[in-house]
Amino acid sequence: MTNADAWSATPPTADLVLADGTVIEGHGLGAVGSAPGEVCFNTAITGYQEILTDPSYAGQIITFTFSHIGNIGANDEDIETVNLAGASGVRGAVLRADVTAPSNYRAARALDEWLKARGIIAIAGVDTRALTARIRESGMPNAVIAHAPDGRFDFDDLKEQASAWPGLEGMDLAKSVTTGQSFEWNETPWQWDEGYGHQTAPKYHLVVIDYGIKRNILRLLADQGCRVTVLPATATPDDVLSLKPDGVFLSNGPGDPAATGEYALPAIRAAIDSGVPVFGICLGHQLLGLALGGKTKKMHQGHHGTNHPVMDRTTDKVEITSMNHGFAVDADSLPDTVEETHVSLFDGSNCGLQVKGKPIFSVQYHPEASPGPRDSHYLFTRFINLIRERKGDQPLPERAA
């Protein structure tokens, strides 16, 4: 090797091209090609596989602020899409450090191989701290992430793609990640050295409307003694009420709630009018707010991470929560019949609501803790207790896992 060879720079094999024309270079991994999306940042230090398979991230390019992503590999147990092979809709991932060989007894494959199999483009070697600071100052930009092993890029085309992408505001993405048909769910949470269990003696029947639901939410609902029937996001009022549910659950999901609400609100309002308990999470929370007469709004940088403090005003306790949302319910738009129950201690934004005198409530964050802290597991018990009360059964104690 000559001195010239030793000092020659390795050409970048991936680029993140922002809508304003900024080009960020790095090393490519995962799928080859290009994809537009909205760039957000996530502050979690664990759970990258759950994050990358969370349908709530559809349409987004995720910047991980934690440096070491991929060092525990990937497996089939930590996937959050209901269809294990199904795409979550994540458009790409931005990493600080190059991915090392996996070092964990549960690892089944390396992250690069896993990303390729799932069609997710990634770029490593990026100053994610600087990119995160930019997002905090200027908001979440539209961009294109591109990976070409030969290092050849048409930057004019990539810049045009980035500027032409319309952004998440006004975009309905629930239809792209929801189930195509109804199905039953009975899997329960993972136990050390045993794996996942199954619900064999359900006492209550829940109808779940799937706007992009995560597997672990379904597991926790089944673990509460429920037979779970999952319906598509496009479910009609008759689809829901003909099943005679004991409760209705509104799932997490991606996109602009106002756009999804154009077809989703009739079924939600029918559930409200039926008198059965209703519980919503994330997009389900936002859609419930719309169904009750409130409004939603786009956030500057959103909330994405597993360290978000939230005040539960019904108990005066603070819980550390897992969050992933770029839209929020406007608390000032809620009618007098609705009470704000949870608020973010980061920025004061709405994180929960309940209807006064009715068994209807929702939260903005992800209490199933996949990934994240388990402070909020009590909410699933709170929901089931509303059903138990309606059935004349004794309530269960609320507690975190």
Side-chain angles (χ1 to χ4, degrees), residues 113-322:
E113 178 188 356
W114 182 83
L115 289 169
K116 285 184 172 71
R118 300 198 69 84
I120 300 173
I121 301 169
I123 179 174
V126 172
D127 185 346
T128 52
R129 178 177 292 184
L131 181 56
T132 297
R134 178 178 181 141
I135 294 170
R136 291 193 62 171
E137 292 170 4
S138 304
M140 296 177 284
N142 295 339
V144 168
I145 187 170
H147 175 200
D150 62 5
R152 297 180 180 179
F153 299 95
D154 183 340
F155 288 106
D156 289 337
D157 179 64
L158 293 175
K159 290 176 182 178
E160 184 177 345
Q161 287 186 52
S163 61
W165 196 69
L168 294 184
E169 196 161 7
M171 186 177 291
D172 168 44
L173 290 172
K175 283 182 180 176
S176 68
V177 295
T178 188
T179 180
Q181 59 186 10
S182 63
F183 63 92
E184 300 288 318
W185 180 274
N186 62 18
E187 188 176 80
T188 55
W190 189 87
Q191 298 292 328
W192 179 265
D193 207 29
E194 295 180 8
Y196 296 109
H198 291 87
Q199 173 60 256
T200 58
K203 187 171 184 181
Y204 309 109
H205 181 208
L206 289 184
V207 165
V208 172
I209 304 181
D210 170 23
Y211 307 112
I213 197 161
K214 298 165 72 173
R215 296 176 71 87
N216 210 45
I217 291 176
L218 291 172
R219 293 186 190 111
L220 289 175
L221 292 172
D223 197 46
Q224 290 285 341
C226 296
R227 176 168 69 91
V228 178
T229 301
V230 183
L231 300 181
T234 54
T236 66
D238 186 62
D239 292 336
V240 175
L241 299 183
S242 65
L243 294 172
K244 302 187 185 308
D246 296 315
V248 174
F249 179 84
L250 312 174
S251 87
N252 62 293
D256 188 336
T260 303
E262 291 183 7
Y263 59 85
L265 295 188
I268 297 172
R269 289 180 176 135
I272 292 171
D273 293 341
S274 74
V276 302
V278 177
F279 178 24
I281 285 176
C282 187
L283 180 59
H285 160 73
Q286 297 161 3
L287 290 171
L288 180 61
L290 291 174
L292 293 169
K295 297 179 180 178
T296 55
K297 56 186 178 181
K298 188 77 165 64
M299 302 178 75
H300 176 71
Q301 67 191 44
H303 289 164
H304 307 91
T306 58
N307 60 341
H308 288 247
V310 168
M311 168 67 78
D312 181 350
R313 288 177 168 170
T314 68
T315 62
D316 289 331
K317 293 181 179 179
V318 175
E319 54 205 85
I320 305 302
T321 70
S322 180

